[in-house]
Every structure is written in structure tokens, then in C-alpha cells.
Amino acid sequence: MKGTAVTVFEILRFLIIHWKCDIEVSKGVLLEGQLVISIEGLNSKHQANALHCVTTIASAGSLFGGTVLKKFLKEIQSILPGISAKLTWTSEESSYSQDMTGVTPFQMIFEVDEKPRTLMTDCLVIKHILRKIIMVHPKIRFNFTVKVNGILSTEFFGVENEPTLNLWNGIALVVDSQHYASRPKFDTIESYCSRIHPVLGHPVMLFIPDDVAGMDLLGELILTPAVALCPGPKVFSNQLNSISSVSIFLYGPLGLPLILSTWEQPMTTFFKDTSSLIDWKKYHLCMVPNLDLNLDRDLLLPDVSYQVESREGDQSQNMDLQGQTLLLFLFVDFHSAFPVQQMEIWGVYALLTTHLNAILVESHSVVQDSIQFIVDQVLEQHHQAAKAQQKLQASHSVAVNSIMSILTGSTRSSFRKMCLQTLQAGDTQEFGTKLHKLFCEITQHQFLHHCSCEVKQQLILEKKDSAQSTEDTPDNSSLELLTDTSGQAENKRLKRGSPSVEDMRTLYSARAPSLSEAALGGRAPTAAPLTPSGREACETHSRALAPGRASLGNRLEDALWLQEVSNLSEWLSPSPGP
Amino acid sequence: MAFAPMGPEASFFEVLDRHRESLLAALRRGGGEPPSGGSHLASSSEVLASIENVIQDIITSLARNEAPAFMIENRSSWENIKFEDSVGLQMVSHCTTRKIKSDSPKSAQKFALILKILSMIYKLVQSNTYATKRDIYYTDSQLFGNQTVVDNIINDISCMLKVSRRSLHILSTSKGLIAGNLRYIEEDGTKVNCTCGATAVAVPSNIQGIWNLVTDAKFVLIVEKDATFQRLLDDNFCNKMSPCIMITGKGVPDLNTRLLVKKLWDTFHIPVFTLVDADPHGIEIMCIYKYGSMSMSFEAHHLTVPAIRWLGLLPSDLKRLNVPKDSLIPLTKRDQMKLDSILRRPYVTCQPFWRKEMEIMADSKMKAEIQALTFLSSDYLSRVYLPNKLKFGGWI
């Protein structure tokens, strides 16, 4: 018998699949709406020490039309036979019958008997599911209410006004870092950026083993990784912040959570080997699976978690527990030459849920290559930026000493007095301290301009003026525009014909070259979401076979991140020397 | 001053004397020496005050939470350089500048090094001691990286403060040599007599400090290469052509050699000639003495002698003297590029004869060293070529 959490998850998944596929939502537009989930538990009359839980899933507003609703209700009953609990649904019959094209709110109710402790766990699981959903569907809101024997608690899940990174096919990743990791305790508020800056990797096609039984897919499974450090530092300390943990988030087609968290099913064999995805030895790190995941926390719970056991060559066991978390998002999408039906997507989820391990093992090489590439770049950029910061600080130290040398050596009292007065210092020692602090502040201020959170249209402005200027962050709409613009610009350059599926397989399995040289004209290196030829291949393939289906061509480079990386070019490119 | 007359008769120098008269007449027409612009010889207190002003500006910027920056004139940019016949290459009054910011990773290091060298200059001036650029570099070679960095920053500081390098108490190492009819007293009282026969005197490092210069020389001969200079010394050229002064910068001249040539001209107004190889490199060296260099254009007034004339080796001499082809060397690609570059420079337009010589070289695609004249005889240069050139006005 399925528990409440599993049932809620499957219903939500089906709902969103149906919502996405059947509603004429144009690609790139995010799903928008509010769902209410309420659980009421009362002491069960049939089971001892159990609660009879009635779970209601309803839409606060309209989701889809009446005829679609009827079909939806029919299909959900057929695909959820495992729910032995009573499943009922209601709708506003009057509005349904009179207005076939009108939209109708709906409500689904199911009942199960559960132990109180199980219900408590299920509630925590449901919260994590909701968080995972809204992280890529930022315009969906959830109201989650639990009432147990009269005691009510309500929680709202929504990230509508938070910064997001538009991905593709109507999903967007929330980039507010507070959802992913807590700030290090020693940190000052100004040291860390409030956002993560995901770098998209090269999409790769997943191979399904021949011996995997299941539906015959009329399409391809494509995995696109994204990597980010969390929190992203604004100002780097003297030492490179170490990575202390890795969080992996799995999403399936249409941006739905792929598997439940590790407490529901054991970590797949593939992920038990921490080097399956990333060769940690390159970074002198030793990672071990972290099975101790605390459900009761507000952060987004990863599907797979690793923690640093030790650094190679580091005799000390005093690990930096306050270090950064490497976030790895694995988005598995389904692409077909034909219009994809809801049941097909449901089947893909079933396949992935059951055979994820086998599929990842079969595709290990290409998956690892794609992820390793962007992890290398993210960490390298981080390292280079830290080095640049160290260089800046060393320069300022020389500047401060030189000024102090002149000040203390001057025999002109008016000059000395004027200097002290300007910085409101009582003596030369205080003056030196203030001088040092002021130089540090301008360094931080300078780095703020390179942080994507503080920049608006930086890419354009930097070409005009090498001097930094403070500007606001672009809103998401302009980000989308930039994304689309860059994509269109990319499309215009494409001239190749439509390749075969085999060609696509070859393209996807190739290591991603530096798209930055193509996209940015040889500026800062960045991870390529897709090579120009690969994107072209996908686009022409999709255009030729399924004009209506969102193609990999929409999986465009993150224009905002490319802007940020181009801003970082100043930090990363070698100095010509004084 | 009385020297033992070993040179030719007085009539030998008739053309030279007439040339000198024309130069003096031109000077009088031009109103004497052009006013000195750019950097000047500042007093110690002026230099200290200038540096303190720089520091004050930096601190004021910091107090306003603004990142301080230096505005440095683009010394080596053609757009900031103009040509004046009387001076040569010099910086324009309103130059383009570049910003050396303290908060930019690319320029922060240079910003710091400028301050570092300013603090060192401050101490040198305060203590009235001097150091060479090399000394500066070795105070912290790891910090500076290489000598060129130090050299450029010192020039930038000189340009920024509008103060000559000498006033910054930074000396350049002299490599030039001088010989002939000249004596002077150095700042520390040392008496120097350049009439030494087979040996030459090193160009002093403190040109501004030398005084009581005395000479009867009819001309100054600038020799490009040390090898040619030594050859002339060996051939006793200074005595044969006495009274005269010979000087070499051993290739591209250092600042002190140029300053000395300038000082000789300013003091005596005697004709100055160059003896360079008939190749683009030699012509460029000659242009440095005459018109100045781009990098030091901010100090042009102290360094250039526009009155310099090209004595030899002229490309037209090669044909005239029937120098055999196997003594000639084909121009390399680099030579051709340099020749093209010189031909495009603004000062060549007012030197039609120079232009013509360069065109002869470009057309023939051949160059020659002065040593090519040895095909006629080993002492042809000092015995025939130069005396004839000087006697009959073979300069352009």
C-alpha cells in the first residue's frame, strides 16, 4: 500500500505532466498556478495506533479545461492502480457542463490509514517534494496544510519573486542560494553572493541497456547537467574556499523530481561510487556518500549527497566543514520526433524510476565526461578568481606600505596633518589601519560589480568603458530576452543539414568544446551547454521531424552566466604586466 | 684653449665653417633655443611636493570611497606625438591618457608599483642620493619582475610629474664613449680631458652636473657603432681631423649620451654629423639623435638636436664608390618593415634628401655596413671617405 507521500507525489507528477502537455502552453512559458494540499488525520477507527488520513489535492484556481479534466480523471485512475485508498474527485459540475471550454478548478481526495510517525515522515517528504517542484517551476505555488486531531499547521511554498535562471521547455531554476545551502558561520554577510551561478553542461544522450524491459521509447533520453557552487562567494578570502560537500538533484522530463529521496529507496549503485560522475582525485578530494540526511530542514534536500572525507596529502583531519557545496543538477529530458503524449512521459518516468541505475551505468562514460567538463571549469574559474583576488590584495599591501613610507618620512607637517585629517586618524598607526581598510573596501566594491547580482547589461557596458560602474541586476524578462536573442543569433549561424540519429548520438557523446570562443568571440572560457554543431544538429533534427516539439535548440547557453563569465574575464585573463 | 694643431689646414674646414654659420643664422631666425617644455630640472623641494600632492589625491579619493587611480599620458602613442622641425618629436599638449586603477586586477599591480617607486624616489630626493634604474630594480626584483617594468614606470613618473629623470635622482647607466677636443669638469670636481689618443672617455652619468666645457672642435661626429668608433680611434682620426669630437652610443643611445650631444650643441653650436650604417637600423638611430624617440618624446627638448646632418654611409655612396655587391647585404623583411615605418614618419617629409636616400635603399633592397668601405682599403674610412665628406660638404 502506498503511503501518503508517494501518492501525493505521483498525483502531482501526473497532474503537472497533464497540465504541461495538454494545455497549450507554448514552450518557454512557465506553468503558473496554485495547488492546495491538505492532510487531515484523525484517529483511525479501523486500525489501532493509526490515523485515518484524508488528503485533498485541489487547485486554487483553474488549471485546465473541462474536457481535459474528464480525460485527466479517467487516466489518473488507470495509472494509479496502486492506490488502494479511496480516490474520489469533485469538480464544479455546473461550470463543467455549461462551458466546455471554460476552465474549472478541481479537487482530488484519497484516504489512507497510517501510523502517526509515518505520517510525520510523509509530511516532511511532501514538503521536500514541493520544494523540489517549485525550484524548477517557480510560478507554481503550494499551500500545504496538515491537521492532526485538530492541530493545524500551514505552510506556503512559493518562489515567484525570486531570481531564476531560465532553462528550456518551460522550466527555470531558482538561483537563490538560501534554498541550497546554509551560509558558513564564519562568513560575513558581504562575502557571499545571494545567488548560485549554474553553468550548463553539454547535453548527452543516455543509452538504455538492451536487457532493460519496458516500453519502447520513440525518442531519446537526454541528460543535461548544471553545476554551481553554493554559496557563490562575492569576495574571496585569502584561502580558496574548499568544497565540503556535493549535492545532486535529479529531475526528469518536464522538470519533475525523478526519484524520491534516499530514505525511500536506497541510493542507487551508480551513485554509491562517488567517482561515477566526477573524478575527485583531480581536486585532491576524497568523497564519501552522505547517508545521514536530515529531513527536518528548510533547505532543498538533495537526491544524492556526498561529503568530503579528506584531502589527499592533508594529514590533518581538521576539515573545513564550513566550505562550499558543489551543486549538481541532472536534468533528464525526453525528446521525440513525434508529439509526446502524457502517457508516454509517464512511461518514461516509470522507466527512469525503475532502471535509472542501469541507464546511468550504460551511459557512464558520456555522462561523466559532460559533468567533469563543467565541474573542471567551475572550479577552475573559482580558483582563478581567488588567485586574482589574492593578487589584488598583495598589490594593495604594497600601495599601503608605500604611502606610509612617504607619510612617515615627510618633514612637512602640513602634509602629514592633512593626510591624517582626511582619514580622520589620530596618528600614523591609526592612519595605516584605516588606509588598509579602505583599500580592502574598494576591492570588495570592485568585485561586487563583477558579481552577476549587481550587474545589468554589463556585457554591453564593459565594451564602452573599462572603468566599472554600478548598475542594477537585470530582471528575468530581460534575461529571457537575452537568452532568446542569443539563441536566435546562434540559430542564424547554423547551416548544416539534418543529421541522422546516429550523428546526434556521436555529437552528444563528444566532449564539449569551448563554446565561449564561438559565442563570446574568444572571451572568458565557460561551459558550453551545447556545441554549435550539436545544437544545430538537434535543431534541424527536431525541425525536420517534430516542428511542434521543443527541441534541444531551445537549450540555449545561459546568457546571464555568459555575461558574468565575460565579466570575470578581467579576473581570469593574464595581466599584461605593469 | 690651445691644442697642438695636428689636423688639416684651416682651409679644409671652410665648408664646415660656412655650414656652422648657416646653423647659427637659423638659430637666430628661430629666436634662439626653443623654450623647454615637458619635463624640467626641478628642485628637490618641488619634487617632494609633487609626490606629496599625488599621495594627497590618493588619500582624498579613498576618503570618498573612490578607488584611486593614476592618469598616465600615453607616451608611446603616435596620436600623442607631433613633429616640430625645431625640436623633433614631442608630445602634444593635450594627450590621451590611460587610467591605472587601484581596484582593477589588471592594473592594481602597476598602481602599487608606481607608488612603490614614488616612495623610493621620495627617499632618494630627501637624502640627496642617487640610484640607477638597475639599482631600483634590484631592491625587489621579485616584486618588479623585470627591468623593463621599472624603466617604464620611471618614465611614466617623469612624464606624470613633468620632472626630468635626473630630478627624480634616478640615473641611467651610461654606455657611450667620447673622444677628441673636449674637456670639462664633473660635478664632483673631476677634470676630464677627452683628448686621449687611442682611448676614449666614458660618457658621464651626470650630464647636468658637468660644467666648464671647453673645446675648439669644428664638428662633432656621432658614430653609430662601437666597432667603427674604435676603428677611427685606432686610425687616430681625432688628431687627423683635429679639432673635432667623436662620440658613440654603441648602438641605440642611452639617455646620457643623448644628453651630452644635446649639451655640446647647446653650448657650442658646432655642426653635428652622424656616421651610421647604410641600413634602416642605422637610419633609425640617427633619427633618435636628431628627432628623438617616441618613448622619450616628453623630454624631447632636452634630448634632440634637429641640426644633425647625415654624413654617411649614404646609400648613394654605395653606387658612387662602386662598392661590390658581395659587400652588400639584402634587406630582410624586418629591415623593409622598419624602412617603410621610417618613411611614414612625419619628420621624413621635411627631409627630401633623406627620403631620396631611403628610397634608393628600398629600390635596391640592399644595405651595407660602414665596414663595407674596407674593400677599398682598410683605412679608407678615416683616410679618404670622411675627410672628403667633411671637406666638400657631403652631408645631407
Side-chain angles (χ1 to χ4, degrees):
Chain A
M1 176 173 144
K2 289 193 181 182
T4 304
V6 173
T7 307
V8 166
F9 179 43
E10 291 189 340
I11 291 173
L12 285 178
R13 191 158 63 186
F14 190 80
L15 179 69
I16 291 174
I17 290 171
H18 211 88
W19 187 6
K20 187 85 172 143
C21 291
D22 279 353
I23 303 302
E24 290 298 323
V25 177
S26 57
K27 59 185 180 185
V29 176
L30 302 174
L31 287 179
E32 189 167 357
Q34 182 162 346
L35 293 169
V36 179
I37 301 162
S38 62
I39 302 174
E40 185 168 3
L42 296 167
N43 289 328
S44 173
K45 294 171 185 172
H46 306 289
Q47 257 187 33
N49 298 323
L51 292 169
H52 182 73
C53 302
V54 178
T55 303
T56 306
I57 299 174
S59 65
S62 52
L63 293 182
F64 32 71
T67 51
V68 175
L69 174 63
K70 191 177 177 186
K71 184 186 172 198
F72 167 82
L73 295 175
K74 189 177 171 186
E75 282 180 355
I76 196 170
Q77 184 65 22
S78 67
I79 60 111
L80 296 177
I83 303 177
S84 61
K86 194 167 68 173
L87 178 66
T88 60
W89 54 87
T90 61
S91 63
E92 291 183 10
E93 294 290 341
S94 56
S95 60
Y96 162 65
S97 60
Q98 286 173 13
D99 181 4
M100 301 296 280
T101 60
V103 290
T104 307
F106 85 104
Q107 183 173 284
M108 292 177 63
I109 302 172
F110 70 92
E111 300 174 26
V112 294
D113 286 339
E114 279 190 344
K115 300 279 184 201
R117 183 166 285 280
T118 307
L119 177 64
M120 188 173 74
T121 304
D122 276 350
C123 288
L124 290 174
V125 170
I126 289 170
K127 285 185 187 179
H128 286 296
I129 291 167
L130 300 182
R131 280 195 199 101
K132 282 203 78 177
I133 291 173
I134 62 174
M135 282 296 114
V136 294
H137 292 281
K139 291 196 173 180
I140 296 178
R141 305 177 302 280
F142 292 102
N143 239 329
F144 182 48
T145 305
V146 178
K147 190 174 178 183
V148 176
N149 288 328
I151 301 172
L152 177 71
S153 72
T154 303
E155 199 165 339
F156 173 77
F157 295 85
V159 290
E160 200 160 6
N161 294 320
E162 290 189 18
T164 57
L165 171 67
N166 283 333
L167 297 176
W168 57 88
N169 201 22
I171 63 172
L173 183 65
V174 173
V175 294
D176 192 328
S177 63
Q178 66 176 346
H179 297 292
Y180 301 100
S182 54
R183 285 181 182 275
K185 289 176 188 170
F186 58 78
D187 165 49
T188 60
I189 292 173
E190 291 301 318
S191 297
Y192 282 90
C193 182
S194 60
R195 301 183 186 187
I196 60 171
H197 303 281
V199 176
L200 296 181
H202 181 61
V204 294
M205 193 168 72
L206 296 177
F207 304 115
I208 303 172
D210 294 334
D211 58 347
V212 167
M215 57 180 285
D216 293 323
L217 292 180
L218 296 178
E220 310 287 344
L221 289 175
I222 307 294
L223 181 141
T224 304
V227 171
L229 283 171
C230 181
K234 267 181 184 172
V235 175
F236 295 97
S237 63
N238 285 331
Q239 290 184 340
L240 177 64
N241 289 328
S242 56
I243 292 174
S244 60
S245 60
V246 179
S247 295
I248 302 175
F249 304 94
L250 299 165
Y251 284 91
L254 306 183
L256 288 165
L258 192 55
I259 57 173
L260 294 182
S261 299
T262 52
W263 64 88
E264 183 66 21
Q265 58 186 134
M267 187 185 287
T268 59
T269 309
F270 181 82
F271 290 113
K272 274 183 186 167
D273 178 4
T274 57
S275 62
S276 298
L277 296 175
I278 301 168
D279 178 16
W280 297 106
K281 286 181 185 172
K282 282 180 73 170
Y283 315 114
H284 308 292
L285 292 174
C286 179
M287 290 286 183
V288 293
N290 177 16
L291 302 175
D292 183 23
L293 294 173
N294 181 12
L295 275 179
D296 190 13
R297 63 178 199 173
D298 290 335
L299 297 176
L300 190 66
L301 199 68
D303 297 297
V304 178
S305 178
Y306 301 141
Q307 64 185 24
V308 170
E309 184 179 53
S310 68
R311 287 181 179 271
E312 285 182 9
D314 185 355
Q315 301 301 320
S316 145
Q317 293 302 312
N318 185 19
M319 294 306 303
D320 179 5
L321 298 175
Q322 304 287 343
Q324 292 173 288
T325 300
L326 185 76
L327 304 176
L328 174 59
F329 299 89
L330 301 178
F331 297 101
V332 180
D333 220 340
F334 179 69
H335 289 266
S336 172
F338 308 100
V340 179
Q341 303 299 323
Q342 300 90 309
M343 299 307 292
E344 202 171 4
I345 299 226
W346 186 261
V348 169
Y349 267 103
L351 174 72
L352 290 172
T353 304
T354 315
H355 299 293
L356 181 64
N357 186 70
I359 293 170
L360 289 175
V361 168
E362 186 77 9
S363 317
H364 169 248
S365 173
V366 296
V367 169
Q368 190 187 52
D369 281 353
S370 180
I371 293 171
Q372 190 77 55
F373 182 75
I374 47 172
V375 168
D376 286 349
Q377 291 208 333
V378 167
L379 295 184
E380 180 60 25
Q381 285 176 357
H382 177 64
H383 181 66
Q384 291 297 333
K387 274 175 66 176
Q389 176 67 8
Q390 287 172 23
K391 197 176 167 187
L392 199 63
Q393 287 174 346
S395 298
H396 287 165
S397 180
V398 170
V400 166
N401 289 339
S402 302
I403 293 172
M404 290 304 296
S405 168
I406 292 170
L407 179 75
T408 54
S410 172
T411 56
R412 206 155 64 101
S413 60
S414 59
F415 165 68
R416 292 197 312 276
K417 193 176 171 186
M418 187 267 184
C419 291
L420 292 175
Q421 277 179 351
T422 304
L423 293 195
Q424 297 176 344
D427 52 35
T428 50
Q429 189 174 0
E430 190 184 348
F431 178 86
T433 307
K434 289 193 172 186
L435 192 66
H436 182 79
K437 186 176 168 234
L438 285 168
F439 269 110
C440 287
E441 281 174 9
I442 62 167
T443 304
Q444 291 185 12
H445 189 60
Q446 161 65 11
F447 193 73
L448 282 176
H449 292 289
H450 286 288
C451 180
S452 64
C453 307
E454 307 291 334
V455 170
K456 180 163 89 176
Q457 306 291 337
Q458 187 80 5
L459 187 60
I460 298 167
L461 288 174
E462 267 203 350
K463 287 180 182 175
K464 291 181 183 174
D465 183 10
S466 61
Q468 298 303 311
S469 60
T470 51
E471 291 190 329
D472 299 326
T473 312
D475 56 23
N476 287 344
S477 58
S478 60
L479 167 61
E480 292 173 37
L481 179 62
L482 287 168
T483 307
D484 289 339
T485 303
S486 63
Q488 288 164 15
E490 194 61 39
N491 292 343
K492 284 177 188 171
R493 294 205 293 269
L494 306 178
K495 289 178 185 170
R496 288 176 56 184
S498 172
S500 64
V501 172
E502 198 59 38
D503 291 339
M504 288 177 69
R505 192 189 295 264
T506 307
L507 283 168
Y508 293 151
S509 63
R511 179 177 288 277
S514 172
L515 180 63
S516 63
E517 281 145 28
L520 298 177
R523 296 190 72 184
T526 185
L530 187 60
T531 62
S533 57
R535 183 180 300 108
E536 175 201 5
C538 297
E539 285 188 335
T540 53
H541 179 68
S542 297
R543 280 199 297 274
L545 301 174
R549 173 59 55 197
S551 70
L552 284 172
N554 292 326
R555 199 170 302 191
L556 301 172
E557 59 270 15
D558 171 17
L560 178 62
W561 175 243
L562 289 178
Q563 283 184 44
E564 294 159 14
V565 169
S566 70
N567 300 339
L568 280 173
S569 66
E570 192 173 271
W571 292 79
L572 301 176
S573 61
S575 172
Chain B
M1 171 181 174
F3 287 100
M6 295 174 65
E9 296 172 353
S11 60
F12 179 91
F13 297 112
E14 277 176 9
V15 177
L16 265 169
D17 289 338
R18 282 202 297 273
H19 177 55
R20 186 175 181 227
E21 288 302 319
S22 70
L23 291 174
L24 289 171
L27 271 176
R28 284 191 290 270
R29 281 195 304 273
E33 295 295 339
S36 64
S39 58
H40 67 284
L41 199 64
S43 66
S44 295
S45 57
E46 282 177 336
V47 173
L48 294 176
S50 294
I51 295 174
E52 286 169 358
N53 287 339
V54 169
I55 300 301
Q56 278 182 3
D57 289 343
I58 290 172
I59 293 168
T60 305
S61 290
L62 286 169
R64 289 199 298 255
N65 278 323
E66 291 170 5
F70 290 117
M71 298 302 293
I72 303 287
E73 290 173 345
N74 291 321
R75 294 180 290 110
S76 300
S77 171
W78 278 110
E79 63 181 336
N80 286 339
I81 293 173
K82 66 177 181 184
F83 170 71
E84 267 187 30
D85 197 20
S86 59
V87 177
L89 294 176
Q90 56 180 337
M91 289 192 82
V92 300
S93 50
H94 298 290
C95 297
T96 60
T97 55
R98 66 185 188 283
K99 216 172 177 183
I100 309 295
K101 296 188 285 184
S102 59
D103 61 344
S104 164
K106 277 187 178 172
S107 62
Q109 190 180 13
K110 180 156 187 183
F111 179 88
L113 292 182
I114 291 174
L115 274 175
K116 171 81 176 173
I117 293 179
L118 273 173
S119 69
M120 296 172 73
I121 291 170
Y122 193 85
K123 284 210 167 354
L124 286 171
V125 172
Q126 259 192 338
S127 58
N128 198 26
T129 53
Y130 291 82
T132 63
K133 291 186 293 180
R134 201 71 180 159
D135 294 334
I136 302 275
Y137 167 69
Y138 278 116
T139 57
D140 198 337
S141 57
Q142 201 170 6
L143 175 70
F144 292 119
N146 59 71
Q147 183 66 54
T148 308
V149 167
V150 174
D151 295 352
N152 284 334
I153 290 177
I154 291 170
N155 286 339
D156 284 335
I157 290 173
S158 176
C159 192
M160 181 173 68
L161 300 180
K162 301 282 188 288
V163 165
S164 70
R165 194 192 300 173
R166 172 73 191 177
S167 301
L168 299 177
H169 283 225
I170 296 179
L171 309 173
S172 63
T173 308
S174 300
K175 60 175 180 165
L177 297 171
I178 189 165
N181 193 302
L182 176 70
R183 68 177 186 192
Y184 56 83
I185 303 175
E186 292 188 349
E187 195 177 34
D188 62 358
T190 304
K191 292 181 182 175
V192 178
N193 189 340
C194 300
T195 315
C196 299
T199 58
V201 172
V203 170
S205 58
N206 180 10
I207 302 298
Q208 279 96 338
I210 64 175
W211 58 287
N212 199 23
L213 283 81
V214 178
T215 184
D216 288 334
K218 291 287 188 180
F219 64 92
V220 175
L221 182 67
I222 300 172
V223 183
E224 177 198 345
K225 296 189 305 196
D226 184 41
T228 311
F229 185 87
Q230 295 296 335
R231 178 74 217 192
L232 291 174
L233 275 184
D234 292 344
D235 290 349
N236 207 17
F237 179 81
C238 285
N239 290 328
K240 286 180 187 172
M241 288 288 112
S242 179
C244 69
I245 298 171
M246 265 198 332
I247 188 166
T248 181
K250 296 184 181 177
V252 176
D254 60 272
L255 204 64
N256 289 329
T257 304
R258 293 174 65 188
L259 282 167
L260 181 58
V261 170
K262 173 71 174 173
K263 195 170 183 87
L264 290 174
W265 165 254
D266 287 346
T267 309
F268 302 115
H269 298 306
I270 50 176
V272 182
F273 302 112
T274 55
L275 179 64
V276 298
D277 289 341
D279 62 18
H281 185 61
I283 295 171
E284 186 163 57
I285 287 173
M286 178 173 59
C287 290
I288 291 173
Y289 283 107
K290 184 178 173 79
Y291 292 123
S293 63
M294 204 158 69
S295 63
M296 294 299 294
S297 58
F298 64 97
E299 281 213 67
H301 286 93
H302 297 127
L303 298 172
T304 60
V305 182
I308 283 174
R309 297 293 185 264
W310 186 3
L311 190 65
L313 180 61
L314 302 177
S316 57
D317 289 339
L318 300 175
K319 191 177 178 183
R320 187 171 58 79
L321 297 173
N322 283 322
V323 175
K325 283 193 177 170
D326 55 5
S327 297
L328 306 179
I329 307 164
L331 290 177
T332 64
K333 203 169 184 181
R334 199 169 171 180
D335 289 332
Q336 286 178 350
M337 285 171 60
K338 187 181 284 292
L339 191 58
D340 291 338
S341 159
I342 297 171
L343 281 167
R344 284 196 301 268
R345 289 181 195 167
Y347 42 70
V348 175
T349 51
C350 64
Q351 294 289 337
F353 294 111
W354 286 32
R355 186 177 193 88
K356 192 175 174 188
E357 291 292 332
M358 284 189 256
E359 284 169 354
I360 292 173
M361 186 188 298
D363 291 341
S364 68
K365 294 186 173 43
M366 303 298 276
K367 62 182 179 181
E369 293 181 345
I370 293 169
Q371 281 68 26
L373 295 178
T374 56
F375 88 98
L376 290 159
S377 70
S378 60
D379 61 349
Y380 187 83
L381 175 69
S382 59
R383 185 174 56 84
V384 179
Y385 179 81
L386 287 175
N388 281 341
K389 282 267 183 171
L390 290 164
K391 185 175 181 182
F392 297 110
W395 54 78
I396 55 173

